[in-house]
């Protein structure tokens, strides 16, 4: 058998030829599960292309276009269904040059997502102490029994239970049944003046009063999906607060000069960080007669005023309140930050 000319001087070529055969004899399978963010479609295409090429089955132009079409469809369906949504990409490369993949959407309701937290995370889910900002505002009342509180999105009851123990009558609205049941059970055990309402507070109902001295939404607006829900919140406060009553809530606000795109809005919802611009905040409150009386950094206020040993409330709280769950940046240059805002209804 005649030797090929210059064969001995071309080992890289031979090695690459053997490597191609090695890849074709490999059997690979796997799964990628990612938050659904339609505005970042290019990132999903790049990630899949990189993984598939690493398995020895690089995508051609036509295959890449088909992948993009499939991803776009499933990303849009998942995100429209819920901000607690994912796409799952399952792939299988049998022996040869074939690669099979399936893209499918999965999602949870917000209530379902929080119930999953209860099942999979170690408590305390949101800390053990009431929010320092809420506690300070309620503490300004000389007679707690005369300072009725509406706690919207009461969660595990951190604020509701603490305020009721101080003597405040509390209406706790919570849409996650497990959380609502737990608050009700604890209130019954301690004979606390808490009325638990298990529903979405923005769904029509006549079970709320109109004489609240304080309305609280703690860690609720990060689950909003649009500025229309901000308007709903302000309208609720305008209707339900007593004259002189106050609305306090924490919300992620874009820094001056930052102009967010759709991808940032979508990813923020997936990270429990939905944010709004100052113009959106002003527009949502416009014409309702509520006056902004305080605006503080959540991170700084809670770090300064929580009881000794209570900071941070959870391992994720410090980064989350500074917007770092969305933007992998230093805090000083992150374009969003969580703020405590307090509005007052005129007397």
């Amino acid at each position: 058998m005649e030797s090929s000319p210059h064969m001995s001087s071309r080992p890289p070529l031979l090695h690459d030829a053997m490597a191609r055969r090695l890849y074709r004899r490999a059997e690979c399978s796997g799964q990628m599960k990612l938050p659904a963010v339609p505005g970042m479609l290019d990132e999903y295409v790049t990630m899949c292309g990189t993984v598939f090429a690493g398995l020895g089955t690089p995508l051609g132009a036509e295959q890449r276009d088909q992948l993009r079409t499939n991803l776009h469809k499933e990303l849009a369906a998942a995100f429209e269904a819920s901000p607690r949504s994912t796409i799952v990409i399952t792939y299988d490369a049998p022996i040869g040059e074939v690669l099979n993949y399936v893209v499918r959407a999965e999602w949870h309701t917000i209530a379902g997502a929080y119930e999953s937290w209860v099942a999979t995370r170690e408590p305390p889910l949101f800390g053990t102490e009431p929010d320092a900002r809420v506690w300070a505002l309620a503490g300004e009342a000389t007679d707690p029994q005369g300072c009725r509180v509406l706690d919207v999105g009461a969660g595990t009851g951190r604020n509701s239970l603490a305020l009721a123990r101080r003597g405040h009558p509390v209406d706790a609205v919570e849409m996650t049944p497990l959380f609502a049941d737990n608050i009700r059970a604890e209130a019954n055990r301690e004979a606390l003046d808490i009325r638990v309402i298990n529903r979405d507070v923005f769904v029509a109902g006549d079970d709320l009063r109109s004489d609240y001295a304080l309305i609280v939404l703690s860690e609720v607006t990060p689950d909003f999906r649009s500025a229309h829900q901000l308007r709903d919140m302000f309208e609720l406060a305008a209707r339900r607060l007593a004259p002189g009553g106050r609305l306090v809530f924490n919300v992620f606000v874009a820094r001056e000069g930052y102009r967010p795109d759709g991808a940032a809005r979508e990813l923020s919802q997936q990270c429990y960080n939905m944010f709004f611009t100052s113009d959106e905040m002003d527009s949502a409150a416009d014409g309702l007669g509520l006056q902004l009386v305080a605006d503080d950094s959540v991170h700084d206020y809670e770090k300064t005023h929580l009881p000794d040993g209570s900071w941070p409330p959870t391992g994720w709280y410090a980064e989350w309140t500074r917007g770092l769950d969305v933007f992998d940046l230093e805090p000083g240059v992150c374009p969003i930050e969580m703020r405590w805002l307090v509005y007052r209804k005129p007397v």
Side-chain angles (χ1 to χ4, degrees):
M1 179 177 178
E2 295 182 3
S3 62
S4 177
H6 311 297
M7 184 63 71
S8 61
S9 64
R10 303 177 69 185
L13 176 65
L14 298 180
H15 180 84
D16 291 347
M18 290 190 298
R20 290 194 294 272
R21 286 299 179 188
L22 177 64
Y23 281 128
R24 291 172 193 168
R25 295 191 64 82
E27 296 181 64
C28 304
S29 62
Q31 175 178 290
M32 292 180 280
K33 189 170 185 177
L34 302 163
V37 183
M40 300 184 76
L41 173 62
D42 288 344
E43 300 299 328
Y44 297 86
V45 174
T46 298
M47 183 181 297
C48 289
T50 300
V51 171
F52 296 165
L55 300 176
T57 53
L59 299 175
E62 184 176 343
Q63 294 169 311
R64 198 175 185 87
D65 288 344
Q66 184 60 49
L67 171 65
R68 176 181 290 275
T69 298
N70 293 339
L71 285 167
H72 179 267
K73 176 184 175 182
E74 297 301 328
L75 284 167
F79 188 75
E80 181 179 358
S82 172
R84 304 293 172 263
S85 56
T86 59
I87 59 163
V88 181
I89 305 156
T90 306
Y91 55 88
D92 171 46
I95 291 178
E97 298 180 80
V98 176
L99 183 137
N100 306 305
Y101 69 87
V102 175
V103 182
R104 71 178 190 276
E106 294 182 349
W107 59 83
H108 295 283
T109 63
I110 291 176
Y114 282 120
E115 290 191 346
S116 176
W117 276 32
V118 174
T120 59
R121 299 192 179 195
E122 289 293 324
L125 297 180
F126 305 103
T128 58
E129 297 291 328
D131 291 305
R133 193 71 186 94
V134 173
W135 191 248
L137 284 171
E140 294 176 11
T142 55
D143 176 18
Q145 290 188 341
C147 179
R148 184 174 295 275
V149 178
L150 174 63
D151 186 7
V152 177
T156 58
R158 283 184 309 113
N159 289 315
S160 289
L161 293 167
L163 292 170
R165 289 175 186 132
R166 180 191 260 171
H168 297 272
V170 177
D171 284 354
V173 181
E174 175 51 52
M175 64 188 296
T176 302
L178 182 58
F179 287 164
D181 290 345
N182 289 344
I183 296 172
R184 188 179 292 111
E186 187 65 28
N188 289 338
R189 272 195 298 270
E190 299 184 34
L192 298 173
D193 188 359
I194 300 180
R195 182 168 64 112
V196 180
I197 303 168
N198 181 202
R199 71 170 176 88
D200 182 345
V201 74
F202 300 116
V203 174
D206 297 324
D207 44 8
L208 299 181
R209 301 170 62 101
S210 299
D211 61 348
Y212 296 108
L214 184 64
I215 295 179
V216 177
L217 289 92
S218 177
E219 302 181 15
V220 173
T221 65
D223 282 323
F224 284 0
R225 303 205 72 181
S226 72
H228 293 297
Q229 290 170 288
L230 277 181
R231 180 67 178 186
D232 291 342
M233 176 192 69
F234 282 118
E235 289 180 345
L236 174 77
R239 289 195 310 270
R240 300 300 181 179
L241 281 173
R246 290 172 295 184
L247 164 70
V248 58
F249 61 98
N250 46 19
V251 60
F252 285 97
V253 181
R255 296 186 190 274
E256 189 72 26
Y258 172 52
R259 303 186 185 281
D261 59 13
R265 300 275 197 178
E266 292 164 357
L267 181 59
S268 73
Q269 291 183 49
Q270 288 285 13
C271 298
Y272 302 80
N273 279 67
M274 179 59 170
F275 63 88
F276 302 94
T277 65
S278 296
D279 287 345
E280 287 171 329
M281 296 297 305
D282 292 342
S283 178
D286 186 50
L288 296 175
L290 299 173
Q291 302 168 341
L292 179 64
V293 295
D295 180 351
D296 301 286
S297 161
V298 169
H299 176 275
D300 295 349
Y301 191 97
E302 298 299 307
K303 184 176 182 180
T304 301
H305 295 94
L306 278 173
D308 290 344
S310 299
W311 176 263
T314 66
W316 47 262
Y317 189 86
E319 289 199 352
W320 175 68
T321 54
R322 290 182 288 181
L324 306 185
D325 284 6
V326 181
F327 299 96
D328 185 12
L329 295 167
E330 291 299 317
V333 295
C334 185
I336 64 173
E337 180 191 25
M338 196 177 217
R339 310 289 298 182
W340 276 121
L341 302 183
V342 182
Y343 287 78
R344 182 176 179 272
K345 182 176 182 177
V347 176

